[in-house]
Amino acid sequence: MAEIERRKTPSVAVGDLYVGSEWPVVVQSMTNTDTADAAATIEQVAALAAAGSELVRVTVNNDAAARALPRIVEGLEKRGIRVPVIGDFHYNGHLLLRKYPECARALAKYRINPGNASIGARGDENFRTMVECAVENQKPVRIGVNWGSLDQALLTRMMDENAKLAQPRETRDVMIEAMIASALDSARAAERYGLRHDQIILSAKVSGVRDLIEVYELLAARCDYALHLGLTEAGMGMKGLVASTAGLAPLLLKGIGDTIRVSLTPKPNGDRTEEVLAAQQILQSLGLRSFTPQVTACPGCGRTTSSFFQELAQQIQGYVRDSMPVWRERYPGVEEMKLAVMGCVVNGPGESKHANIGISLPGTFEEPKAPVYVDGRLMTTLRGDHIVSEFQKILDDYVATHYGAARDEEQLIGKR
């Protein structure tokens, strides 16, 4: 697979993590707990981090939330969880950061929405106060422009200017230009107020897929700041997954984007970590990063009227997911492994040979046997009622002998 050339940006330090073109695209997420409830927020940040979120953003919208932040970060550190925690500020961030300096120190990064940063104040005093807090505490800032909360003064001025043109542009085009102008003007202001160029990340988030692609292509062409990608409201379930993939993939394939979030609306009491797994799968499907072994499985057809191959694929996928916390620590590189669970002889053997380990199950009217291929060669043929457990044993043995210390020892022996 041809390597994707990333857009060149400065490296931005966010806690112990780096964001930018020299580093892998970072997965992030956001809590939906009441931040003032420190215990609940610690639990959700821990769950998101365990799922693979490398940055976690929390709402800081009132005094109680700001007071809770140091306890949240301390509680995470006591558990050995050092995921950078980002504070999400809007209308009153300037007040909270000044009133609660311990909150300003505890956070790894501030997220500022310029459209909301100076509500009720003259000029950009509120925005400036927040940036100065970041400078004092040596914290990076994401300047996050949103379609739904765009700087109305800027938008009005640009709309008025557009109306005076002999050939006015479409309203949508003016809004996209206003978003880019807001992001770049705010970044330049932040640098005037003391923030370094390599302490700034930009985002310009919208809810439409084609709008997302256009605004980021234009923004990327006009600056070298690190960029955070994502639909601001992707939606629920299938819609959110498809829209996020459709919007992020074209940009990532062009080397645009340094951090991503898949902003899924969870079901009531749903699992927030789904958005982390979705973001990881987008990056892994594009060949940008590897997080877990991938299981290829056929969709099934009239040749596979039995549901056994579907059940096996599901069981193997679950087994891999459950095993990964241990495998990740013990067997570095295991996330690159590829598995195939196929349902009949048409594509089964071929796909199995392309995987590290593949099994081709018998389709309708086929002989009741399941050939297993390891690294492209037929290893054994399974039959009977214990195919699942026998296949898992083959999988465990392969992991133990091909990754981590065992793999390194084999390579060392080979060099001798």
Side-chain angles (χ1 to χ4, degrees):
M1 182 182 293
E3 186 175 349
I4 296 170
E5 185 176 351
R6 292 273 301 284
R7 169 178 163 271
K8 302 301 182 185
T9 71
S11 295
V12 182
V14 185
D16 296 331
L17 190 74
Y18 284 91
V19 172
S21 58
E22 296 180 17
W23 307 93
V25 178
V26 171
V27 172
Q28 66 174 274
S29 56
M30 184 176 184
T31 59
N32 60 359
T33 56
D34 179 357
T35 308
D37 187 342
T41 303
I42 288 171
E43 289 298 327
Q44 191 171 80
V45 173
L48 291 167
S53 184
E54 295 158 305
L55 299 172
V56 179
R57 184 158 48 111
V58 301
T59 296
V60 189
N61 59 333
N62 54 38
D63 292 71
R67 284 194 298 266
L69 246 304
R71 299 201 308 275
I72 291 168
V73 174
E74 182 181 0
L76 291 167
E77 289 179 347
K78 285 181 178 178
R79 294 191 183 191
I81 300 169
R82 297 187 58 81
V83 62
V85 177
I86 302 162
D88 191 66
F89 296 98
H90 289 275
Y91 307 99
N92 57 354
H94 59 296
L95 300 174
L96 296 174
L97 286 170
R98 283 299 183 205
K99 187 175 181 180
Y100 300 99
E102 62 277 15
C103 169
R105 289 192 294 269
L107 292 166
K109 185 177 76 171
Y110 309 157
R111 187 274 183 155
I112 304 174
N113 183 336
N116 295 335
S118 294
I119 300 297
R122 291 178 299 174
D124 55 5
E125 294 172 4
N126 297 355
F127 178 84
R128 178 172 185 165
T129 297
M130 297 170 76
V131 169
E132 288 175 344
C133 283
V135 173
E136 291 165 14
N137 291 284
Q138 282 302 292
K139 306 293 183 180
V141 169
R142 170 157 73 94
I143 296 173
V145 179
N146 266 25
W147 184 276
S149 53
L150 190 55
D151 183 336
Q152 291 303 299
L154 172 65
L155 180 60
T156 299
R157 187 182 76 247
M158 293 183 70
M159 285 291 189
D160 289 344
E161 292 171 354
N162 182 64
K164 297 176 183 177
L165 297 176
Q167 294 183 322
R169 293 180 294 172
E170 296 289 335
T171 299
R172 170 187 174 276
D173 296 336
V174 179
M175 289 193 70
I176 287 177
E177 187 61 34
M179 291 187 68
I180 295 169
S182 178
L184 295 179
D185 289 351
S186 298
R188 285 189 284 266
E191 291 195 56
R192 287 198 304 273
Y193 302 144
L195 209 59
R196 297 196 314 270
H197 193 75
D198 65 352
Q199 291 178 311
I200 297 173
I201 298 172
L202 298 185
S203 66
K205 298 176 80 173
V206 295
S207 55
V209 169
R210 296 182 68 174
D211 296 328
L212 179 82
I213 294 169
E214 182 172 345
V215 73
Y216 273 99
E217 286 179 340
L218 292 171
L219 184 59
R222 298 189 198 180
C223 72
D224 69 345
Y225 293 109
L227 298 179
H228 168 68
L229 305 184
L231 292 168
T232 187
E233 300 108 0
M236 295 186 70
M238 185 67 70
K239 185 270 180 185
L241 290 170
V242 172
S244 293
T245 304
L248 295 179
L251 294 168
L252 292 167
L253 287 172
K254 291 181 178 181
I256 298 171
D258 303 288
T259 79
I260 66 169
R261 181 188 175 203
V262 176
S263 300
L264 296 179
T265 303
K267 296 177 182 178
N269 301 314
D271 187 352
R272 191 68 163 181
T273 63
E274 288 181 356
E275 66 176 42
V276 179
L277 302 180
Q280 290 178 331
Q281 190 59 59
I282 290 172
L283 293 176
Q284 188 148 352
S285 296
L286 296 176
L288 291 170
R289 293 187 66 180
S290 294
F291 298 93
T292 188
Q294 296 290 281
V295 179
T296 298
C298 67
C301 66
R303 298 179 62 91
T304 57
T305 52
S306 168
S307 63
F308 182 66
F309 89 93
Q310 298 162 327
E311 294 163 2
L312 178 59
Q314 185 177 37
Q315 288 173 314
I316 295 302
Q317 185 81 62
Y319 184 74
V320 168
R321 184 170 54 249
D322 293 342
S323 301
M324 273 306 292
V326 174
W327 285 357
R328 190 179 291 112
E329 294 296 323
R330 191 174 298 174
Y331 304 114
V334 69
E335 64 276 1
E336 302 281 353
M337 184 171 59
K338 293 178 174 59
L339 308 174
V341 179
M342 306 302 293
C344 80
V345 74
V346 173
N347 291 320
E351 285 286 355
S352 296
K353 291 176 184 178
H354 289 308
N356 296 110
I357 307 176
I359 185 169
S360 179
L361 294 164
T364 307
F365 304 123
E366 290 179 15
E367 186 179 349
K369 64 180 184 179
V372 177
Y373 296 83
V374 174
D375 290 332
R377 295 186 177 185
L378 178 65
M379 173 191 175
T380 188
T381 299
L382 304 180
R383 295 178 174 86
D385 299 327
H386 304 288
I387 289 178
V388 175
S389 59
E390 292 173 2
F391 186 73
Q392 287 180 351
K393 176 65 166 58
I394 294 170
L395 175 58
D396 287 335
D397 290 344
Y398 187 91
V399 170
T401 56
H402 286 72
Y403 298 98
R407 179 190 58 182
D408 295 340
E409 185 175 345
E410 285 182 358
Q411 291 175 344
L412 182 61
I413 292 172
K415 290 179 180 178
R416 290 175 185 169

Short mmCIF file of all heavy atoms in Angstrom, two decimals, residues 9-14 17-23 196-199 224 226:
data_model
loop_
_atom_site.label_atom_id
_atom_site.label_comp_id
_atom_site.label_asym_id
_atom_site.label_seq_id
_atom_site.Cartn_x
_atom_site.Cartn_y
_atom_site.Cartn_z
N THR A 9 3.13 20.01 9.29
CA THR A 9 2.68 20.94 10.33
C THR A 9 3.68 20.91 11.48
O THR A 9 4.45 19.96 11.61
CB THR A 9 1.29 20.56 10.88
OG1 THR A 9 1.42 19.38 11.68
CG2 THR A 9 0.29 20.32 9.77
N PRO A 10 3.67 21.93 12.34
CA PRO A 10 4.50 21.86 13.54
C PRO A 10 4.01 20.74 14.46
O PRO A 10 2.85 20.33 14.40
CB PRO A 10 4.29 23.23 14.19
CG PRO A 10 3.70 24.10 13.13
CD PRO A 10 2.93 23.20 12.23
N SER A 11 4.88 20.25 15.33
CA SER A 11 4.50 19.28 16.35
C SER A 11 4.00 20.03 17.57
O SER A 11 4.71 20.87 18.13
CB SER A 11 5.70 18.41 16.74
OG SER A 11 6.12 17.62 15.65
N VAL A 12 2.77 19.73 17.97
CA VAL A 12 2.15 20.40 19.12
C VAL A 12 2.14 19.43 20.29
O VAL A 12 1.60 18.33 20.20
CB VAL A 12 0.70 20.83 18.78
CG1 VAL A 12 0.08 21.56 19.97
CG2 VAL A 12 0.68 21.71 17.53
N ALA A 13 2.76 19.83 21.41
CA ALA A 13 2.79 19.00 22.61
C ALA A 13 1.50 19.19 23.39
O ALA A 13 1.16 20.30 23.78
CB ALA A 13 3.99 19.36 23.47
N VAL A 14 0.80 18.08 23.62
CA VAL A 14 -0.43 18.09 24.43
C VAL A 14 -0.20 17.10 25.56
O VAL A 14 -0.35 15.89 25.38
CB VAL A 14 -1.67 17.69 23.61
CG1 VAL A 14 -2.92 17.83 24.47
CG2 VAL A 14 -1.79 18.53 22.35
N LEU A 17 1.71 13.80 24.89
CA LEU A 17 1.41 13.38 23.52
C LEU A 17 1.78 14.49 22.54
O LEU A 17 1.74 15.68 22.89
CB LEU A 17 -0.08 13.07 23.41
CG LEU A 17 -0.58 12.38 22.15
CD1 LEU A 17 -0.17 10.91 22.16
CD2 LEU A 17 -2.10 12.47 22.08
N TYR A 18 2.14 14.09 21.32
CA TYR A 18 2.43 15.07 20.28
C TYR A 18 1.44 14.93 19.14
O TYR A 18 1.07 13.82 18.76
CB TYR A 18 3.86 14.91 19.75
CG TYR A 18 4.91 15.44 20.70
CD1 TYR A 18 5.48 14.61 21.65
CD2 TYR A 18 5.30 16.78 20.65
CE1 TYR A 18 6.43 15.10 22.54
CE2 TYR A 18 6.25 17.28 21.53
CZ TYR A 18 6.81 16.43 22.47
OH TYR A 18 7.75 16.92 23.34
N VAL A 19 1.03 16.07 18.61
CA VAL A 19 0.09 16.14 17.50
C VAL A 19 0.77 16.88 16.35
O VAL A 19 1.34 17.94 16.56
CB VAL A 19 -1.20 16.88 17.91
CG1 VAL A 19 -2.10 17.10 16.71
CG2 VAL A 19 -1.93 16.11 19.00
N GLY A 20 0.70 16.33 15.16
CA GLY A 20 1.29 16.99 14.01
C GLY A 20 1.75 15.98 12.99
O GLY A 20 1.66 14.77 13.19
N SER A 21 2.27 16.47 11.87
CA SER A 21 2.56 15.61 10.73
C SER A 21 3.64 14.57 11.02
O SER A 21 3.68 13.53 10.38
CB SER A 21 2.99 16.47 9.55
OG SER A 21 4.13 17.26 9.89
N GLU A 22 4.53 14.83 11.97
CA GLU A 22 5.58 13.87 12.29
C GLU A 22 5.05 12.71 13.12
O GLU A 22 5.74 11.70 13.31
CB GLU A 22 6.72 14.56 13.04
CG GLU A 22 7.44 15.62 12.24
CD GLU A 22 8.56 16.27 13.05
OE1 GLU A 22 8.97 15.68 14.07
OE2 GLU A 22 9.01 17.36 12.68
N TRP A 23 3.84 12.84 13.62
CA TRP A 23 3.27 11.87 14.55
C TRP A 23 2.02 11.24 13.95
O TRP A 23 1.38 11.80 13.08
CB TRP A 23 2.95 12.56 15.87
CG TRP A 23 4.13 13.29 16.42
CD1 TRP A 23 4.45 14.60 16.23
CD2 TRP A 23 5.18 12.74 17.21
NE1 TRP A 23 5.62 14.92 16.85
CE2 TRP A 23 6.11 13.79 17.47
CE3 TRP A 23 5.44 11.47 17.73
CZ2 TRP A 23 7.26 13.60 18.23
CZ3 TRP A 23 6.59 11.27 18.49
CH2 TRP A 23 7.49 12.33 18.73
N ARG A 196 2.67 30.48 21.03
CA ARG A 196 3.58 30.10 19.95
C ARG A 196 2.82 29.44 18.80
O ARG A 196 1.75 28.85 19.00
CB ARG A 196 4.65 29.13 20.46
CG ARG A 196 5.57 29.69 21.53
CD ARG A 196 6.82 28.80 21.66
NE ARG A 196 6.48 27.38 21.72
CZ ARG A 196 6.23 26.70 22.85
NH1 ARG A 196 6.26 27.34 24.01
NH2 ARG A 196 5.94 25.41 22.81
N HIS A 197 3.43 29.49 17.63
CA HIS A 197 2.82 28.88 16.44
C HIS A 197 2.60 27.38 16.65
O HIS A 197 1.60 26.82 16.18
CB HIS A 197 3.75 29.11 15.24
CG HIS A 197 3.13 28.81 13.91
ND1 HIS A 197 2.20 29.65 13.30
CD2 HIS A 197 3.30 27.77 13.06
CE1 HIS A 197 1.84 29.13 12.15
NE2 HIS A 197 2.48 27.98 11.98
N ASP A 198 3.53 26.74 17.39
CA ASP A 198 3.42 25.30 17.60
C ASP A 198 2.60 24.95 18.85
O ASP A 198 2.68 23.83 19.36
CB ASP A 198 4.81 24.65 17.69
CG ASP A 198 5.61 25.12 18.90
OD1 ASP A 198 5.17 26.07 19.59
OD2 ASP A 198 6.68 24.53 19.17
N GLN A 199 1.82 25.92 19.31
CA GLN A 199 0.88 25.65 20.41
C GLN A 199 -0.57 25.81 19.95
O GLN A 199 -1.47 25.88 20.77
CB GLN A 199 1.15 26.61 21.58
CG GLN A 199 2.46 26.34 22.30
CD GLN A 199 2.72 27.33 23.41
OE1 GLN A 199 2.61 28.56 23.24
NE2 GLN A 199 3.04 26.83 24.58
N ASP A 224 -0.30 26.26 7.93
CA ASP A 224 0.38 25.02 8.28
C ASP A 224 0.10 24.61 9.73
O ASP A 224 0.82 23.79 10.30
CB ASP A 224 1.89 25.15 8.05
CG ASP A 224 2.56 26.09 9.04
OD1 ASP A 224 1.85 26.87 9.72
OD2 ASP A 224 3.80 26.05 9.15
N ALA A 226 -1.57 22.60 12.75
CA ALA A 226 -2.16 21.27 12.90
C ALA A 226 -3.68 21.39 12.88
O ALA A 226 -4.23 22.39 13.36
CB ALA A 226 -1.70 20.62 14.20
#
